[in-house]
Amino acid sequence: MWGGRFAAGPGALMQAINVSIDFDQRLATQDIAGSKAHSDMLAAQGIITTGNRDAIHKGLDEIAAEIAEGTFPWSAELEDIHLNIEARLKDKIGEAGGRLHTGRSRNDQVATDFRLWVREHVELFQTQLTALISALVDQADAHADMIMPGFTHLQSAQPVTFGHHMLAYAEMFARDRSRFADCHARLNESPLGAAALAGTPYPIDRDMTAKALGFDRPMANSLDAVSARDFALEALSAASICATHLSRLSEEIVIWTSAQFRFITLTDAFTTGSSIMPQKRNPDAAELVRAKVGRIMGALTALTIVMKGLPLAYSKDMQEDKEPVFDAFDALELGLAAMAGMVADMTPNKDRLAEAAGAAFSTATDLADWLVMHLNMPFRDAHHVTGTIVAMAEKQNVTLAALSLAEMQSVEPRISKEIFNVLTPFASASSRTSYGGTAPSEVRKQVARWKSDLG
């Protein structure tokens, strides 16, 4: 493949380190699409004949069929996906196959293929995130007024609604979807026609190939076109943030399904048993999604380090760009699918959530707020009075609502019986009617907005 420059083929070790066909054959669909767009343009510009173009397209279609059927004769000696397809094309159509590479290089070819592959997955992730958000919104809609404990430091803080909790993750994943959309806008430029690094003397039409491949425009600098991998880094960055959100929700599912919490249940579809403990129902799907963030973040770090010291333009180091991206995107695709399934599958335990929502004096802030709003007490004074009343209830091992009015008046004589209207978890949550608050009325407004946005 090196022509007349080298008298001998590569040694065994050089062959082993140089070959990429084991992993870059995943770019076959993109490589064939790029070659069709390139040959169409060459014919339109009069660089090759229409007969050559037609033969090239026929041969590429046959190659695509062989790859789909699993009969394509992959060869490690041909190093990568590009040379494997080109050699097979020459076998099929002869001399016309050798004209396909006119006006391009493997450098712009691989950059184009890789951008196409990343773009397809960025689009897939946006679709998957929409499905996950929809599942969260459905849970929020069904449980807008179901009370549960809200936590800070994993300690009971204030009562919230289950629907509100679900919508918090909908907001996170919506930002992830937006990040992928932003990434898509920046990566959607075509490197094809940049050739090795300096462009080509052939009268090519880069706008034509860009349009044919669904790019917004050709990249404006040939050096940048063949050497840039920031599109992959940006996609990995968005994937890493998204995976972090998946991991956080996975962690909560693991906690919530434990015997100590019993906040939700998952069916057999997303749990496994134990080989020796028949009582176990393990949230393995959530645990595995939680773990995949390590692979995805690791891929971002790996590619960042590969790229950090490379001068312009192309270096063989950049062959190491694909495996981490393939692995990370496979992990994210599976994680998003599994999470959407788990969210739809989960059933909240209403009684247990209500019990937990009332524990640990979770309505203490409501007591303090009542003192401020009804007695015109400075908040810091109200905080002190509330702390004293909480200590009284804690000493008796009862909830705030179980204290008598007389007991509370022994701390602050102006407290009236109306205080009991805010001391239940449901009353507490229902009072949080500020925009974005946990009140069922606010949750329903947000659900309606989400359903309108999701169509």
Side-chain angles (χ1 to χ4, degrees), residues 184-299:
H184 188 285
R186 273 182 288 278
L187 73 80
N188 205 36
E189 297 183 340
S190 174
L192 192 57
L197 75 162
T200 176
Y202 295 98
I204 62 173
D205 184 348
R206 294 190 62 208
D207 287 300
M208 179 178 175
T209 52
K211 183 178 180 180
L213 294 170
F215 289 113
D216 294 329
R217 64 192 68 85
M219 295 183 73
N221 184 284
S222 60
L223 287 168
D224 180 46
V226 299
S227 64
R229 293 297 183 271
D230 54 345
F231 68 92
L233 288 170
E234 185 175 4
L236 283 173
S237 178
S240 295
I241 298 171
C242 181
T244 302
H245 293 153
L246 287 174
S247 183
R248 293 184 71 180
L249 182 49
S250 295
E251 171 71 4
E252 296 212 290
I253 290 173
V254 170
I255 292 171
W256 290 354
T257 56
S258 69
Q260 290 73 25
F261 273 72
R262 294 181 290 110
F263 282 4
I264 64 169
T265 58
L266 291 171
T267 70
D268 293 350
F270 293 97
T271 56
T272 65
S274 165
S275 63
I276 64 170
M277 295 173 284
Q279 83 281 9
K280 295 293 290 299
R281 182 188 287 273
N282 299 322
D284 283 6
E287 291 171 0
L288 289 167
V289 172
R290 182 177 60 184
K292 288 186 183 299
V293 67
R295 300 172 73 123
I296 297 167
M297 287 185 173

Side-chain angles (χ1 to χ4, degrees), residues 417-430:
K417 64 181 180 180
E418 282 71 28
I419 190 66
F420 293 102
N421 294 333
V422 302
L423 293 184
T424 66
F426 185 79
S428 171
S430 297

Side-chain angles (χ1 to χ4, degrees), residues 371 375 377 385 389 407-416:
L371 295 172
L375 302 184
M377 188 179 291
V385 169
I389 294 174
E407 287 173 316
M408 284 190 273
Q409 287 175 334
S410 70
V411 178
E412 170 50 63
R414 292 178 293 167
I415 293 176
S416 68

Side-chain angles (χ1 to χ4, degrees), residues 118-184:
V118 170
R119 186 181 71 186
E120 288 175 14
H121 284 75
V122 165
E123 292 168 353
L124 170 64
F125 296 149
Q126 291 177 78
T127 299
Q128 287 190 290
L129 281 162
T130 298
L132 174 53
I133 293 166
S134 181
L136 289 161
V137 171
D138 286 345
Q139 285 283 7
D141 189 22
H143 306 294
D145 57 358
M146 184 177 289
I147 301 301
M148 68 173 288
F151 297 97
T152 60
H153 310 278
L154 201 56
Q155 306 294 314
S156 291
Q158 294 176 329
V160 298
T161 52
F162 192 82
H164 191 57
H165 201 107
M166 293 293 99
L167 290 181
Y169 281 104
E171 296 288 340
M172 291 185 201
F173 291 122
R175 291 192 294 274
D176 291 324
R177 187 176 59 175
S178 177
R179 271 183 282 272
F180 281 118
D182 290 344
C183 175
H184 188 285

